[in-house]
Amino acid sequence: MSHAFYSDAAEKIRAELTPGERAAVETVRRSLEDDPDPDHARGLPDADPGSESYVVELLPEQTGGRGISVVYRYSQDLDAVLILWLLAGP
């Protein structure tokens, strides 16, 4: 089991989400603690050789509001996930 944390920027955005959107994002955070490389995540380019970056895209049907992209970085050395950004669409 890994640990998953929000960056300061992601925490600020999370506070501005609706309760349903926040719950959907929290579900992703908890799932990343069990599997930091889920099948539904899309890999992103990463400049750091010690980590891997991904995005999980939540559809409006899953959030009860807007579509949200959860961008995160996984460090195998630390066995930890840092959620970098939450991008909420219209």
Side-chain angles (χ1 to χ4, degrees):
M1 180 173 166
S2 301
H3 294 284
F5 304 95
Y6 294 103
S7 70
D8 289 344
E11 189 64 51
K12 180 179 177 185
I13 297 164
R14 191 173 81 89
E16 297 172 4
L17 298 176
T18 66
E21 293 169 341
R22 213 170 16 255
V25 168
E26 183 61 19
T27 298
V28 170
R29 188 198 65 77
R30 285 193 312 269
S31 73
L32 292 174
E33 290 185 332
D34 293 331
D35 183 8
D37 186 13
D39 293 336
H40 59 279
R42 182 171 41 93
L44 298 173
D46 197 333
D48 185 355
S51 67
E52 302 167 13
S53 293
Y54 299 93
V55 62
V56 173
E57 296 177 357
L58 298 170
L59 299 174
E61 297 81 32
Q62 296 169 284
T63 67
R66 300 170 287 182
I68 298 175
S69 296
V70 180
V71 180
Y72 70 95
R73 181 173 291 151
Y74 172 63
S75 171
Q76 292 178 350
D77 293 340
L78 299 173
D79 191 25
V81 171
L82 179 62
I83 296 173
L84 302 168
W85 293 99
L86 300 173
L87 305 170

